Amino acid sequence: MSLVLKKIQHIGIPVTNLEKSEAFYQSLGFENVMGSAFEHPEGNGKVAMMKSGEIIIEIYQFPETVLPEIASRKDGHVDHIAFDVEDIDQTFATLKAGGYEILEEAPVFLPFWKNGCKYFNIKGPDGERLEFNQIL
C-alpha cells in the first residue's frame, strides 16, 4: 500500500470558548483564515482555522452540553492530526482495502474553505484519530 500524504493539514484542538482561544492564538501570531459552523449530534458547533506560515491549528467549540467533558480533560486537548491528501476517495478506498478501522461510512463533506472539504478518520493502535482531508 502506498498513500500520497502531502503534509500535515492541521491539528485539531477542541476548546471551551472559541473567542478566547482565537484571541490567544492571535497573540501568538496566528490569523483566523476560515470560520464556520458545523452540525453536531447535540447541536451546532463553531470552528476557526488559525494559520501562521504553513501551520494550521483548527480550534473548535462543541455545543454547551459537551463542554464539561472537554474542560475536564487532564492530559491535553489535541484531538486529531489531519493529513492533506490529493484524492480523498482513493485514499479512503486504499485504507478500507487495507483493513484499517475507518470511523466514517464514506468521506464527509464540510462547508469549510472556499469550496468545501472532504475528510474521514481512522483509529490508530492506541485509539488516536488520524484524519485524511482534501480541500476541494
Side-chain angles (χ1 to χ4, degrees):
M1 172 177 50
S2 177
L3 293 178
V4 179
L5 303 178
K6 295 168 36 177
K7 64 178 181 172
I8 290 180
Q9 209 285 323
H10 66 264
I11 305 221
I13 303 174
V15 300
T16 58
N17 182 313
L18 189 69
E19 291 76 22
K20 181 178 176 182
S21 292
E22 182 179 344
F24 172 79
Y25 283 98
Q26 285 173 334
S27 76
L28 296 174
F30 285 82
E31 175 187 1
N32 182 344
V33 295
M34 195 280 308
S36 185
F38 63 90
E39 293 182 25
H40 182 275
E42 306 252 350
N44 288 327
K46 51 190 175 178
V47 63
M49 294 292 192
M50 307 298 294
K51 185 173 183 180
S52 177
E54 293 297 313
I55 301 167
I56 298 176
I57 296 175
E58 173 191 25
I59 54 175
Y60 56 96
Q61 182 178 328
F62 287 128
E64 291 290 326
T65 56
V66 183
L67 296 183
E69 187 276 323
I70 300 298
S72 69
R73 292 182 182 180
K74 300 290 184 231
D75 57 356
H77 288 237
V78 173
D79 181 68
H80 64 276
I81 297 173
F83 298 103
D84 196 21
V85 299
E86 290 185 18
D87 187 330
I88 194 73
D89 295 317
Q90 180 60 46
T91 303
F92 184 87
T94 299
L95 291 172
K96 186 171 184 174
Y100 290 85
E101 183 179 353
I102 300 176
L103 302 179
E104 290 80 20
E105 299 273 327
V108 177
F109 176 81
L110 288 174
F112 293 0
W113 306 110
K114 183 179 177 184
N115 297 314
C117 69
K118 283 187 175 182
Y119 77 95
F120 69 91
N121 294 277
I122 65 171
K123 198 179 261 192
D126 289 307
E128 66 272 23
R129 265 191 327 133
L130 302 175
E131 178 181 313
F132 298 86
N133 187 297
Q134 179 183 3
I135 297 175
L136 304 174

